[in-house]
Amino acid sequence: MKNFQIIRALSSKSAVTSIGKEPSAMFIAGGTNLVDLMKKNVVAPDKLVDITALDLKKIEFLTGKTSIGALAKNSQVAEDKAIIEKHPLLAMSLAAGASQQIRHMATVGGNMLQRTRCSYFYNTDMPCNKRVPKSGCGAIGGSNRMHAIFGASDSCIAVHPSDMCVALAALDATVQVEGPKGKREIKFTDFHRLPGNTPEKDNTLQNKELITSVEIPNNNFNKNVHYLKVRDRSSYAFALISVAVALEIQNNTINDVRLAMGGVAHKPWRLNEAEEFLKGKTVSETIFRQAADLAMKGARGYGDNDFKLTLGPNAIVEALTIASSK
């Protein structure tokens, strides 16, 4: 790790101003991902702007929405009684992530910005277009068991590692940001990017923008929900595949539905076509299987991860079955 300067910001405005003066500067809060990347020389900022003193830790239940500050800890959100009651899918997804110790340090904004866990990205001796543009993708033709089956490109087949983000994508959340040009709002499903020809760009944040909060619109998804995470071990492991399900059921009929997957793409993967198919249908395994088949349209394996083509639809059916039975 190279030497770097660290300063502490006392307001969102001063944080944005401070980071704008240094091209390689980065914000730091919990640091649960950034510090690892710095230790491995994957990133090497000359300056860090510590934002932990900013007033961005609140969870507020406002008219028509829930607002969660970007510096709220993952454990704080997951264990909040009102979140568990109003947005249980989010609480479930956070509880499935990392370890208890990491959840006590990691922030909501940091969770959104965490980088892929692709081994080629972390190994500076290997080619990786995400780390060094135009250097190649070692995972294509290499070890790719954890990698994408949707939305990949010839430049990158890495996946976004977050559990929380899968739930937020399903819940139609929005991201509030502040930068040199002022404040703006980004739909959560538009926040993360597919790799295309620029896999080094993980998200749609503009230069030096700071995430200030995430907002979830009020909904009726407080009963028939489930977050299914399929992984190699039950603790501190990233998803091979995850499925976020939120159903609104009345008289055994699905009135509304939200579906998203994790561990399958460069961003949380929203299953819009399957959602539209399920609306108005009677709950049944047959209907769930048909929805799962629709959801897997366009999926492609790269060798080691071909098993995801079978695991994916089975996980969707299981998650829908569990959610509908509550």
Side-chain angles (χ1 to χ4, degrees), residues 151-207:
S153 71
D154 291 339
S155 296
C156 180
I157 60 172
V159 299
H160 192 264
S162 172
D163 294 295
M164 178 197 77
C165 290
V166 183
L168 289 174
L171 294 172
D172 290 325
T174 57
V175 185
Q176 310 300 313
V177 303
E178 184 173 342
K181 297 180 181 180
K183 299 178 181 181
R184 69 185 181 110
E185 178 178 285
I186 309 169
K187 288 178 59 177
F188 202 91
T189 49
D190 293 334
F191 181 81
H192 297 96
R193 295 166 49 99
L194 292 179
N197 295 322
T198 54
E200 70 277 11
K201 297 179 180 180
D202 288 338
N203 55 63
T204 55
L205 283 175
Q206 295 176 2
N207 192 36

Side-chain angles (χ1 to χ4, degrees), residues 201-259:
K201 297 179 180 180
D202 288 338
N203 55 63
T204 55
L205 283 175
Q206 295 176 2
N207 192 36
K208 311 307 179 185
E209 281 188 323
L210 171 71
I211 300 170
T212 55
S213 66
V214 174
E215 294 181 353
I216 306 171
N218 289 352
N219 57 61
N220 294 320
F221 302 124
N222 53 15
K223 180 183 177 184
N224 297 112
V225 302
H226 190 64
Y227 185 76
L228 176 67
K229 183 176 183 179
V230 182
R231 46 188 164 174
D232 287 326
R233 58 183 185 274
S234 61
S235 177
Y236 197 35
F238 296 100
L240 295 169
I241 276 181
S242 64
V243 183
V245 175
L247 300 170
E248 183 184 336
I249 299 174
Q250 188 173 17
N251 298 326
N252 213 37
T253 298
I254 301 170
N255 291 336
D256 203 1
V257 55
R258 300 288 186 274
L259 289 171

Side-chain angles (χ1 to χ4, degrees), residues 120-180:
Y120 296 96
F121 175 70
Y122 271 81
N123 186 343
T124 55
D125 293 327
M126 300 298 293
C128 173
N129 289 319
K130 179 177 282 294
R131 188 183 67 252
V132 182
K134 311 300 182 184
S135 63
C137 176
I140 297 177
S143 177
N144 51 45
R145 181 171 177 269
M146 300 293 292
H147 289 67
I149 56 174
F150 291 113
S153 71
D154 291 339
S155 296
C156 180
I157 60 172
V159 299
H160 192 264
S162 172
D163 294 295
M164 178 197 77
C165 290
V166 183
L168 289 174
L171 294 172
D172 290 325
T174 57
V175 185
Q176 310 300 313
V177 303
E178 184 173 342

